[in-house]
Each structure stands twice: as structure tokens, then as C-alpha cells.
Amino acid sequence: MRTRILRIDADKPQKEKIAQAATAIRKGKVVVFPTETVYGIGANALDARACREIFRVKGREGDNPLIVHVSDMEMACGIGRIDGRNRKILARVWPAPLTVVVKSTGKVPRSVTGGLDTIAIRMPDNKVALELIGKAGVPIAAPSANPSKMPSSTAFRHALRYFKGKVDVIIGSKDSRLGLESTVLDLRTFAILRPGVFTKRDIETAFGRKARVDAVTKGEKGVTKAISPGTKYRHYAPSTPLFMYTGRKSALTGILSGIRTRYAFIGTDEACSMLPIGKGRKIQLGRRRDMGDIARNLFDALIRVDSIGADFAVVESFSDSGIGLAIMNRLRKASSHSGFSDAKGLLILLKRYGIGAHEDNKVQSSH
Ligand code: AMP
Ligand code: MG
């Protein structure tokens, strides 16, 4: 398939290019476009056939519902039952990296919402996205622009690499400002189904009520609740086996200095500066105190790690508070819940994954 590439200015979107992309949407085509969270792969949400193509191109399971993007409150209320109080609050909060799950009005086909009678709706805080939806005049169903299970695209170059030749249109614009997918909030139970940069505290401030955080929110192992089907799948994972280090920061140098195979380390600038070079390659995420930077750089790091040709990668862990909850949710899944806190733990993982000549890895004991 020939993919049309449209480069669109993030601050002053060119009207004629927006019109071309909007026409493609109206004709039932698939369009990759930027949002403030990650790039999305979108189609007319009212067109079941067009949306089926999203599932096909991504290789996404049919029970994993798509988030539907709107450009105004009227469009949102046409597809989801949002009560008066929440309508007022959302009118203030949106556009924002916050998706809400409500009862569907039935206007969006069931196949788009994974067979559920609920629908996830969001108004993205990105001019190109808002103008595209507005001009198309229909809600746009758009999951993250990545083949299923792989890290999401946060830049035009990622989207190109994944989908050139596979979709009708790719819009190239600025890198995503936030870098992690939206927070998903179930407005019926007030549970956070997926954490994002819009934090628990942001939700509680905006809605004036306590939000629920549980194992689903954290992305913990074995969570298969049908309440948010997407949360049960392995996700965000590079091809390189990724292990999360949960031990003391100061002990990591000792643990990794015995490794004889090629590895990569993904972590904060502070952790990277402490580590020996040796067989390792470092990918810096930003300074530890700027969690927004770490969130923004995370998927790019997970995509880059596969170009290093390492046998495995180690990623630093973070606290589950604020944006850290969203970062850890992605990392738990990206690492398939394979974590270690000492040398013995790492050796067990290397053996389990059959990595390198693990007998050669004279990993030092950490005590
Ligand atoms: P993505 O589109 O790739 O950002 O993933 C969408 C996320 O939103 C997945 O985790 C879905 O399970 C979740 N989601 C979408 N629609 C619903 C819904 N109706 N109910 C619960 N979760 C939803
Ligand atoms: Mg996704």
C-alpha cells in the first residue's frame, strides 16, 4: 500500500493538509496522527469496517476496545452517557490526557468497544488531532500507533517505522509532549484502569472525590479483569528481554560488573553515571527528579534498545507515586514482570531466558 505522508505544523496546522487527512477518515481510511500522549492510529469510530482495519494492522485482539477521540463535548455526549455533573467537570478538564469510560449510547459499533456496552472517550490536547477530528466531523477511534505488544510511538519516526506501507496516511508532526498513553478512568466505579500523566491527584482535584488504585492500575501480574480488557495483555515490550532492577541503587554496579554478555541499561542520568561501561550500553531517561522527562523518553528508550543488539536489558524501577505509577505500570508489562533485586536473581533470569553463556557471567554476590 502506498502511504501518503503529510507533514503538519504542530502550532499552525496547514488547513489543506488537515482537510486531506479528514477526507481520508470520512472515506473509511486509516490515518496515523499525533496527540499529546502518543501517536494514534485512527479511523472513523462510526464505521465498523474502517475500525476493523485498525485491529488488523495492529494485530490487536478483538476484545481490546479502542479509545474514541472527540473534538467537543457535543460529540462526546453523542457517543457516551455522561451525566450533568461529569459533563461540567469534563468541559473544564478537557482537552487533557484523561480518558473516561461511560455507558455507550450505542452509536459506536460494538466491535469498536470490544463487545462492551461501555465506551472510552477522550479529547486530546493537540491542535493537529483536534482539527482533524473537527474537520472530519466524526469521532475517531484511535489506539496507540504500535503493533500490538510493542512500545507505543511517541515520534513521527517511530510511526513511520511501524506503519509505512501499511496505512493510508501518516501525519508527521512534533514528538509527543507527554510520551505515555492517557489515564483511563472508569466514571461508574471511579477506578483508574490505566494510570497516565494525568495523576490520581489531578483526578481527585478535578472531580472532588477519591479515585481507586488497585492491582489493575499498577499493572500487576495475573490481572485479567474484563473491566479493562487491554490491561491483561503483555504490552510495551521490546524484543530484547527486559528485566527490572528493584534492589538498592548502590548495589547495581557490583551486580552488573560481572556480566560477560552484551547488555543495555535503561535508567536515570544519575544511575547511568554510576555504572561501569564494560559490556553495557546505557540509555539515559533524564534526571530522576523530573519524572515528566522520564515519562516522555521511556518509549523511545524501549524502541531504541532493540537496535543495540544486546542479549538483555536492565531497567531501573521507580516509586509508584504521581507519574511514577504510570511509568511503573508500563515497565512491569514491558519487563513481563521479570524483576531482580540481587546478583542471584539476575543469574536466575539469565538462565531462564537462556541468555549468553550464563556460566561465564560471574555475577558478584551483592552481600
Ligand atoms: P490504547 O488504545 O492502545 O491506548 O489502549 C486502550 C486502553 O483503554 C486499553 O487498556 C483498554 O482496555 C482501555 N479501554 C478502552 N475502552 C474501554 C472500555 N469500554 N472499558 C474499559 N477499558 C477500556
Ligand atoms: Mg496501546
mmCIF file of all heavy atoms in Angstrom, residues 41-43 45 50-52 54-55 58 60-69 99 108 111-114 118-121 140-144:
data_model
loop_
_atom_site.group_PDB
_atom_site.id
_atom_site.type_symbol
_atom_site.label_atom_id
_atom_site.label_comp_id
_atom_site.label_asym_id
_atom_site.label_seq_id
_atom_site.Cartn_x
_atom_site.Cartn_y
_atom_site.Cartn_z
ATOM 1 N N ILE A 41 -3.382 5.570 15.911
ATOM 2 C CA ILE A 41 -3.726 5.035 14.584
ATOM 3 C C ILE A 41 -5.248 5.045 14.512
ATOM 4 O O ILE A 41 -5.922 4.295 15.221
ATOM 5 C CB ILE A 41 -3.084 3.649 14.348
ATOM 6 C CG1 ILE A 41 -3.564 3.040 13.021
ATOM 7 C CG2 ILE A 41 -3.300 2.662 15.480
ATOM 8 C CD1 ILE A 41 -2.753 1.801 12.600
ATOM 9 N N GLY A 42 -5.810 5.942 13.677
ATOM 10 C CA GLY A 42 -7.227 6.259 13.789
ATOM 11 C C GLY A 42 -8.080 5.955 12.577
ATOM 12 O O GLY A 42 -7.588 5.877 11.449
ATOM 13 N N ALA A 43 -9.381 5.792 12.841
ATOM 14 C CA ALA A 43 -10.373 5.637 11.782
ATOM 15 C C ALA A 43 -11.705 6.150 12.310
ATOM 16 O O ALA A 43 -11.872 6.324 13.531
ATOM 17 C CB ALA A 43 -10.495 4.173 11.367
ATOM 18 N N ALA A 45 -14.900 6.289 13.974
ATOM 19 C CA ALA A 45 -15.404 5.388 15.020
ATOM 20 C C ALA A 45 -16.806 4.865 14.705
ATOM 21 O O ALA A 45 -17.240 3.881 15.289
ATOM 22 C CB ALA A 45 -15.410 6.098 16.371
ATOM 23 N N ALA A 50 -14.016 0.317 8.813
ATOM 24 C CA ALA A 50 -12.774 1.105 8.891
ATOM 25 C C ALA A 50 -12.011 0.757 10.173
ATOM 26 O O ALA A 50 -10.785 0.630 10.172
ATOM 27 C CB ALA A 50 -13.106 2.597 8.846
ATOM 28 N N CYS A 51 -12.756 0.572 11.277
ATOM 29 C CA CYS A 51 -12.099 0.268 12.558
ATOM 30 C C CYS A 51 -11.543 -1.150 12.582
ATOM 31 O O CYS A 51 -10.537 -1.407 13.249
ATOM 32 C CB CYS A 51 -13.054 0.504 13.722
ATOM 33 S SG CYS A 51 -13.408 2.262 13.959
ATOM 34 N N ARG A 52 -12.196 -2.066 11.853
ATOM 35 C CA ARG A 52 -11.657 -3.434 11.771
ATOM 36 C C ARG A 52 -10.250 -3.424 11.223
ATOM 37 O O ARG A 52 -9.400 -4.217 11.601
ATOM 38 C CB ARG A 52 -12.562 -4.284 10.858
ATOM 39 C CG ARG A 52 -13.258 -5.383 11.623
ATOM 40 C CD ARG A 52 -13.869 -6.484 10.821
ATOM 41 N NE ARG A 52 -14.396 -6.155 9.519
ATOM 42 C CZ ARG A 52 -15.653 -5.772 9.266
ATOM 43 N NH1 ARG A 52 -16.527 -5.639 10.263
ATOM 44 N NH2 ARG A 52 -16.043 -5.531 8.044
ATOM 45 N N ILE A 54 -8.019 -1.182 11.744
ATOM 46 C CA ILE A 54 -7.078 -0.826 12.832
ATOM 47 C C ILE A 54 -6.654 -2.100 13.570
ATOM 48 O O ILE A 54 -5.471 -2.328 13.809
ATOM 49 C CB ILE A 54 -7.713 0.158 13.843
ATOM 50 C CG1 ILE A 54 -8.047 1.491 13.180
ATOM 51 C CG2 ILE A 54 -6.770 0.388 15.034
ATOM 52 C CD1 ILE A 54 -8.731 2.478 14.125
ATOM 53 N N PHE A 55 -7.643 -2.917 13.937
ATOM 54 C CA PHE A 55 -7.348 -4.168 14.651
ATOM 55 C C PHE A 55 -6.416 -5.041 13.807
ATOM 56 O O PHE A 55 -5.469 -5.633 14.308
ATOM 57 C CB PHE A 55 -8.643 -4.941 14.958
ATOM 58 C CG PHE A 55 -9.455 -4.365 16.086
ATOM 59 C CD1 PHE A 55 -10.456 -3.441 15.869
ATOM 60 C CD2 PHE A 55 -9.210 -4.768 17.400
ATOM 61 C CE1 PHE A 55 -11.204 -2.918 16.915
ATOM 62 C CE2 PHE A 55 -9.952 -4.263 18.455
ATOM 63 C CZ PHE A 55 -10.960 -3.330 18.210
ATOM 64 N N LYS A 58 -2.779 -3.502 13.464
ATOM 65 C CA LYS A 58 -2.048 -3.582 14.739
ATOM 66 C C LYS A 58 -1.841 -5.015 15.201
ATOM 67 O O LYS A 58 -0.978 -5.279 16.037
ATOM 68 C CB LYS A 58 -2.843 -2.852 15.859
ATOM 69 C CG LYS A 58 -2.576 -1.368 15.953
ATOM 70 C CD LYS A 58 -3.293 -0.765 17.165
ATOM 71 C CE LYS A 58 -2.782 -1.243 18.499
ATOM 72 N NZ LYS A 58 -1.877 -0.336 19.185
ATOM 73 N N ARG A 60 -4.255 -6.499 16.842
ATOM 74 C CA ARG A 60 -4.840 -6.342 18.179
ATOM 75 C C ARG A 60 -5.990 -7.320 18.391
ATOM 76 O O ARG A 60 -6.792 -7.551 17.491
ATOM 77 C CB ARG A 60 -5.348 -4.904 18.307
ATOM 78 C CG ARG A 60 -5.891 -4.501 19.669
ATOM 79 C CD ARG A 60 -6.163 -2.997 19.618
ATOM 80 N NE ARG A 60 -6.808 -2.464 20.767
ATOM 81 C CZ ARG A 60 -6.236 -1.573 21.587
ATOM 82 N NH1 ARG A 60 -5.000 -1.196 21.395
ATOM 83 N NH2 ARG A 60 -6.908 -1.059 22.591
ATOM 84 N N GLU A 61 -6.074 -7.885 19.594
ATOM 85 C CA GLU A 61 -7.165 -8.796 19.918
ATOM 86 C C GLU A 61 -8.497 -8.049 19.852
ATOM 87 O O GLU A 61 -8.585 -6.911 20.310
ATOM 88 C CB GLU A 61 -6.994 -9.367 21.334
ATOM 89 C CG GLU A 61 -5.840 -10.335 21.494
ATOM 90 C CD GLU A 61 -4.489 -9.656 21.702
ATOM 91 O OE1 GLU A 61 -4.410 -8.401 21.654
ATOM 92 O OE2 GLU A 61 -3.509 -10.390 21.917
ATOM 93 N N GLY A 62 -9.509 -8.732 19.321
ATOM 94 C CA GLY A 62 -10.808 -8.095 19.114
ATOM 95 C C GLY A 62 -11.528 -7.681 20.387
ATOM 96 O O GLY A 62 -12.429 -6.847 20.364
ATOM 97 N N ASP A 63 -11.126 -8.249 21.546
ATOM 98 C CA ASP A 63 -11.812 -7.878 22.789
ATOM 99 C C ASP A 63 -11.117 -6.715 23.489
ATOM 100 O O ASP A 63 -11.468 -6.356 24.602
ATOM 101 C CB ASP A 63 -11.916 -9.085 23.736
ATOM 102 C CG ASP A 63 -10.582 -9.468 24.354
ATOM 103 O OD1 ASP A 63 -9.532 -8.998 23.851
ATOM 104 O OD2 ASP A 63 -10.571 -10.228 25.335
ATOM 105 N N ASN A 64 -10.113 -6.123 22.827
ATOM 106 C CA ASN A 64 -9.406 -4.996 23.424
ATOM 107 C C ASN A 64 -9.943 -3.702 22.809
ATOM 108 O O ASN A 64 -9.598 -3.341 21.694
ATOM 109 C CB ASN A 64 -7.898 -5.157 23.170
ATOM 110 C CG ASN A 64 -7.067 -4.152 23.945
ATOM 111 O OD1 ASN A 64 -7.607 -3.285 24.631
ATOM 112 N ND2 ASN A 64 -5.762 -4.250 23.819
ATOM 113 N N PRO A 65 -10.824 -3.009 23.541
ATOM 114 C CA PRO A 65 -11.552 -1.875 22.960
ATOM 115 C C PRO A 65 -10.665 -0.683 22.603
ATOM 116 O O PRO A 65 -9.603 -0.484 23.196
ATOM 117 C CB PRO A 65 -12.535 -1.498 24.069
ATOM 118 C CG PRO A 65 -11.936 -2.027 25.324
ATOM 119 C CD PRO A 65 -11.148 -3.225 24.956
ATOM 120 N N LEU A 66 -11.143 0.108 21.643
ATOM 121 C CA LEU A 66 -10.398 1.295 21.213
ATOM 122 C C LEU A 66 -10.908 2.525 21.958
ATOM 123 O O LEU A 66 -12.098 2.615 22.257
ATOM 124 C CB LEU A 66 -10.594 1.512 19.710
ATOM 125 C CG LEU A 66 -10.334 0.316 18.799
ATOM 126 C CD1 LEU A 66 -10.514 0.728 17.333
ATOM 127 C CD2 LEU A 66 -8.939 -0.245 19.034
ATOM 128 N N ILE A 67 -10.040 3.466 22.224
ATOM 129 C CA ILE A 67 -10.467 4.742 22.794
ATOM 130 C C ILE A 67 -10.975 5.613 21.651
ATOM 131 O O ILE A 67 -10.362 5.664 20.586
ATOM 132 C CB ILE A 67 -9.297 5.437 23.530
ATOM 133 C CG1 ILE A 67 -8.911 4.625 24.770
ATOM 134 C CG2 ILE A 67 -9.670 6.868 23.911
ATOM 135 C CD1 ILE A 67 -7.688 5.148 25.503
ATOM 136 N N VAL A 68 -12.113 6.271 21.886
ATOM 137 C CA VAL A 68 -12.690 7.104 20.840
ATOM 138 C C VAL A 68 -12.401 8.572 21.156
ATOM 139 O O VAL A 68 -12.673 9.050 22.258
ATOM 140 C CB VAL A 68 -14.201 6.832 20.701
ATOM 141 C CG1 VAL A 68 -14.793 7.708 19.607
ATOM 142 C CG2 VAL A 68 -14.447 5.348 20.397
ATOM 143 N N HIS A 69 -11.835 9.262 20.177
ATOM 144 C CA HIS A 69 -11.395 10.644 20.368
ATOM 145 C C HIS A 69 -12.415 11.628 19.796
ATOM 146 O O HIS A 69 -12.932 11.422 18.698
ATOM 147 C CB HIS A 69 -10.027 10.845 19.712
ATOM 148 C CG HIS A 69 -8.939 10.056 20.383
ATOM 149 N ND1 HIS A 69 -8.873 8.683 20.292
ATOM 150 C CD2 HIS A 69 -7.905 10.436 21.169
ATOM 151 C CE1 HIS A 69 -7.832 8.262 21.002
ATOM 152 N NE2 HIS A 69 -7.227 9.297 21.538
ATOM 153 N N THR A 99 -8.887 9.822 29.737
ATOM 154 C CA THR A 99 -9.954 9.100 29.037
ATOM 155 C C THR A 99 -10.967 8.662 30.077
ATOM 156 O O THR A 99 -10.572 8.208 31.152
ATOM 157 C CB THR A 99 -9.364 7.844 28.352
ATOM 158 O OG1 THR A 99 -8.446 8.273 27.345
ATOM 159 C CG2 THR A 99 -10.442 6.980 27.726
ATOM 160 N N VAL A 108 -21.624 4.088 18.536
ATOM 161 C CA VAL A 108 -20.369 3.487 18.066
ATOM 162 C C VAL A 108 -20.547 1.971 18.047
ATOM 163 O O VAL A 108 -21.014 1.391 19.037
ATOM 164 C CB VAL A 108 -19.194 3.899 18.993
ATOM 165 C CG1 VAL A 108 -17.942 3.078 18.704
ATOM 166 C CG2 VAL A 108 -18.905 5.390 18.844
ATOM 167 N N SER A 111 -18.168 -3.634 17.907
ATOM 168 C CA SER A 111 -16.861 -4.190 17.538
ATOM 169 C C SER A 111 -15.737 -3.207 17.886
ATOM 170 O O SER A 111 -14.612 -3.601 18.138
ATOM 171 C CB SER A 111 -16.824 -4.535 16.053
ATOM 172 O OG SER A 111 -17.150 -3.396 15.282
ATOM 173 N N VAL A 112 -16.060 -1.928 17.930
ATOM 174 C CA VAL A 112 -15.053 -0.902 18.249
ATOM 175 C C VAL A 112 -14.770 -0.893 19.749
ATOM 176 O O VAL A 112 -13.657 -0.637 20.200
ATOM 177 C CB VAL A 112 -15.535 0.494 17.771
ATOM 178 C CG1 VAL A 112 -14.559 1.585 18.166
ATOM 179 C CG2 VAL A 112 -15.772 0.491 16.270
ATOM 180 N N THR A 113 -15.816 -1.206 20.548
ATOM 181 C CA THR A 113 -15.671 -1.171 22.001
ATOM 182 C C THR A 113 -15.446 -2.584 22.565
ATOM 183 O O THR A 113 -15.759 -2.862 23.726
ATOM 184 C CB THR A 113 -16.901 -0.515 22.677
ATOM 185 O OG1 THR A 113 -18.077 -1.207 22.257
ATOM 186 C CG2 THR A 113 -17.015 0.941 22.323
ATOM 187 N N GLY A 114 -14.906 -3.449 21.758
ATOM 188 C CA GLY A 114 -14.524 -4.787 22.221
ATOM 189 C C GLY A 114 -15.716 -5.604 22.709
ATOM 190 O O GLY A 114 -15.558 -6.458 23.577
ATOM 191 N N THR A 118 -19.927 -0.360 27.190
ATOM 192 C CA THR A 118 -19.331 0.899 27.657
ATOM 193 C C THR A 118 -18.425 1.431 26.551
ATOM 194 O O THR A 118 -18.114 0.733 25.596
ATOM 195 C CB THR A 118 -18.492 0.671 28.919
ATOM 196 O OG1 THR A 118 -17.530 -0.351 28.636
ATOM 197 C CG2 THR A 118 -19.350 0.254 30.092
ATOM 198 N N ILE A 119 -17.995 2.698 26.738
ATOM 199 C CA ILE A 119 -17.110 3.295 25.736
ATOM 200 C C ILE A 119 -16.093 4.199 26.434
ATOM 201 O O ILE A 119 -16.408 4.840 27.433
ATOM 202 C CB ILE A 119 -17.949 4.076 24.679
ATOM 203 C CG1 ILE A 119 -17.040 4.592 23.552
ATOM 204 C CG2 ILE A 119 -18.737 5.216 25.303
ATOM 205 C CD1 ILE A 119 -17.820 5.066 22.327
ATOM 206 N N ALA A 120 -14.872 4.182 25.925
ATOM 207 C CA ALA A 120 -13.806 5.042 26.463
ATOM 208 C C ALA A 120 -13.673 6.248 25.545
ATOM 209 O O ALA A 120 -13.519 6.107 24.334
ATOM 210 C CB ALA A 120 -12.499 4.257 26.526
ATOM 211 N N ILE A 121 -13.764 7.447 26.155
ATOM 212 C CA ILE A 121 -13.787 8.688 25.351
ATOM 213 C C ILE A 121 -12.715 9.667 25.839
ATOM 214 O O ILE A 121 -12.478 9.803 27.040
ATOM 215 C CB ILE A 121 -15.153 9.403 25.472
ATOM 216 C CG1 ILE A 121 -16.294 8.405 25.211
ATOM 217 C CG2 ILE A 121 -15.255 10.583 24.516
ATOM 218 C CD1 ILE A 121 -17.672 8.996 25.470
ATOM 219 N N ILE A 140 -13.137 9.833 16.277
ATOM 220 C CA ILE A 140 -12.098 8.975 15.689
ATOM 221 C C ILE A 140 -11.621 7.961 16.724
ATOM 222 O O ILE A 140 -11.130 8.325 17.796
ATOM 223 C CB ILE A 140 -10.905 9.816 15.158
ATOM 224 C CG1 ILE A 140 -11.393 10.729 14.020
ATOM 225 C CG2 ILE A 140 -9.768 8.907 14.684
ATOM 226 C CD1 ILE A 140 -10.289 11.547 13.354
ATOM 227 N N ALA A 141 -11.803 6.666 16.401
ATOM 228 C CA ALA A 141 -11.291 5.599 17.274
ATOM 229 C C ALA A 141 -9.794 5.497 17.004
ATOM 230 O O ALA A 141 -9.384 5.391 15.851
ATOM 231 C CB ALA A 141 -11.972 4.280 16.951
ATOM 232 N N ALA A 142 -8.984 5.554 18.056
ATOM 233 C CA ALA A 142 -7.538 5.544 17.818
ATOM 234 C C ALA A 142 -6.773 4.956 18.999
ATOM 235 O O ALA A 142 -6.582 5.616 20.015
ATOM 236 C CB ALA A 142 -7.031 6.955 17.535
ATOM 237 N N PRO A 143 -6.312 3.719 18.877
ATOM 238 C CA PRO A 143 -5.375 3.200 19.871
ATOM 239 C C PRO A 143 -3.977 3.733 19.567
ATOM 240 O O PRO A 143 -3.776 4.427 18.562
ATOM 241 C CB PRO A 143 -5.445 1.688 19.647
ATOM 242 C CG PRO A 143 -5.812 1.531 18.215
ATOM 243 C CD PRO A 143 -6.633 2.745 17.837
ATOM 244 N N SER A 144 -3.050 3.421 20.411
ATOM 245 C CA SER A 144 -1.674 3.873 20.197
ATOM 246 C C SER A 144 -1.122 3.267 18.903
ATOM 247 O O SER A 144 -1.436 2.141 18.545
ATOM 248 C CB SER A 144 -0.819 3.463 21.386
ATOM 249 O OG SER A 144 -0.984 2.082 21.646
#
